[in-house]
Amino acid sequence: GGSPPAVGEGPPEKRLRTDGFGDAAGFAAAFAPGFAADPTFFPSASTSSPVAAELDVILDKSAGDTLGIDIDLEDGRTLLITAINDGLVAEWNANYPQERICVGDRVIEANGTSGTSEALIGQCKKSQVLYLKIRAEGSRARPIDAELHSRILDHLQEGKAEEAMNIFRLVEGAGSVTVEQMAELIDNTSVWCREGPMIGMFNHMDSFKLVKFPDPSSGTYFTRFSRWAVREYLAEAISTMQTANSALPQVLERSGTCIARLSAQYKEGVELLLSAEGQLPQNHQFTRRELLYVTFPENGKIGDRH
């Protein structure tokens, strides 16, 4: 309820909360009056890009690690990847999911060597840093799983909507994302995310029908709401930062939207327990489940990402 207060002068992170509304219909219906008339909430053309025809991959075999791939020499000129096991290629895929190597891809060059399969194998067997050029012929389709979903949430929490979008380009369509996962994406959107990439991500999900909705009408309703909610949330975040930066902390404290000084201590894992030193400001507007901007030190400035 209401505008989120500015506490101190700056956020390390802020998220849009969606839980507490039950199912997707309850989540959207709670805010329905605010977005029903805006036609721009309907998806536009797909923002996805075709996967690059070739990948440039660097793998360090200097310690004697294995690539962890099975290959076929069928054409005599390339190495066709037929299986990916534990090894350097699997590690590359985990670290660079948007440029992952897939079954069906072909190694066409290794450290500048190309032309024959035997020459490529000779380079790949050496204990050295490998610079591979891979033709991406294998399928890039992949259902969303816990690992991919976690990576997407991490990027959104860090304000990296573009990186989250890159992962979605790997996800196969037709209902591979649940409504609950969609709500989590909105819930974990940081104030540092830019509106354009966020809307582009929703458009991509909608164009490829990635979200599994119970029926088309609820899907249209929910995706329209998602765009409205994120736009409103990010606009409110910018407004709050501007307000906090244009006023003295003492003025914000008197208005009940700022606590001049908090003490912080680790609670559990990465959680912090914030305690006010003294009483809360008179006529304060803080309520349970509000989201706070916090800076370290207390005289920092909103927008400083330290």
Side-chain angles (χ1 to χ4, degrees):
S3 299
V7 177
E9 284 193 326
E13 193 269 328
K14 178 188 173 187
R15 300 185 303 160
L16 177 62
R17 304 298 304 184
T18 62
D19 48 349
F21 295 102
D23 57 13
F27 174 39
F31 296 93
F35 70 93
D38 189 343
T40 64
F41 297 139
F42 284 112
S44 58
S46 170
T47 57
S48 64
S49 299
V51 178
E54 294 182 355
L55 302 175
D56 292 314
V57 176
I58 303 175
L59 303 175
D60 189 354
K61 277 190 86 258
S62 56
D65 296 317
T66 62
L67 295 180
I69 56 175
D70 296 341
I71 58 174
D72 191 312
L73 315 181
E74 60 175 11
D75 66 354
R77 301 186 306 275
T78 65
L79 306 180
L80 173 65
I81 299 173
T82 59
I84 298 176
N85 312 300
D86 291 339
L88 294 176
V89 170
E91 291 179 10
W92 170 274
N93 287 348
N95 292 326
Y96 305 98
Q98 68 273 26
E99 298 178 14
R100 78 186 192 282
I101 301 166
C102 299
V103 171
D105 289 353
R106 293 179 182 273
V107 179
I108 60 175
E109 183 180 302
N111 286 5
T113 298
S114 61
T116 67
S117 300
E118 290 75 12
L120 294 172
I121 290 176
Q123 289 294 325
C124 291
K125 285 184 175 180
K126 295 179 181 179
S127 296
Q128 61 181 347
V129 176
L130 278 175
Y131 297 88
L132 302 179
K133 191 173 291 293
I134 294 178
R135 186 181 300 138
E137 295 182 0
S139 171
R140 267 41 213 169
R142 177 178 176 181
I144 193 167
D145 53 22
E147 183 262 335
L148 276 186
H149 187 59
S150 177
R151 283 177 174 267
I152 292 170
L153 296 183
D154 287 344
H155 285 317
L156 292 178
Q157 290 171 358
E158 295 170 2
K160 299 177 180 178
E162 293 89 344
E163 284 80 353
M165 177 65 183
N166 285 336
I167 295 180
F168 266 115
R169 291 194 175 108
L170 307 178
V171 179
E172 66 180 6
S176 56
V177 180
T178 66
V179 175
E180 290 76 16
Q181 288 173 326
M182 175 73 168
E184 271 196 282
L185 299 180
I186 303 172
D187 185 36
N188 284 269
T189 300
S190 166
V191 295
W192 304 114
C193 288
R194 294 188 297 116
E195 179 183 313
M198 286 300 301
I199 299 303
M201 184 176 70
F202 291 138
N203 289 345
H204 175 81
M205 295 171 66
D206 208 51
S207 296
F208 287 89
K209 303 186 186 306
L210 296 184
V211 184
K212 186 178 182 179
F213 291 109
D215 58 79
S217 59
S218 65
T220 299
Y221 192 77
F222 191 80
T223 52
R224 289 179 67 191
F225 167 76
S226 299
R227 292 170 177 78
W228 172 81
V230 168
R231 282 172 168 165
E232 290 294 305
Y233 163 68
L234 294 177
E236 185 178 32
I238 293 173
S239 175
T240 300
M241 286 191 245
Q242 292 174 340
T243 299
N245 285 331
S246 64
L248 295 173
Q250 295 87 339
V251 174
L252 295 173
E253 187 173 8
R254 284 197 298 270
S255 69
T257 59
C258 174
I259 302 174
R261 187 178 180 89
L262 294 169
S263 296
Q265 64 185 69
Y266 283 108
K267 182 180 179 183
E268 181 179 351
V270 296
E271 292 188 27
L272 287 177
L273 176 63
L274 300 176
S275 304
E277 296 186 358
Q279 298 294 319
L280 291 174
Q282 188 176 9
N283 300 321
H284 72 82
Q285 301 174 17
F286 304 115
T287 60
R288 187 178 297 275
R289 298 193 59 76
E290 286 281 29
L291 298 163
L292 311 178
Y293 287 105
V294 180
T295 59
F296 298 92
E298 73 278 3
N299 61 351
K301 180 180 180 182
I302 288 182
D304 289 341
R305 300 186 64 179
H306 299 303

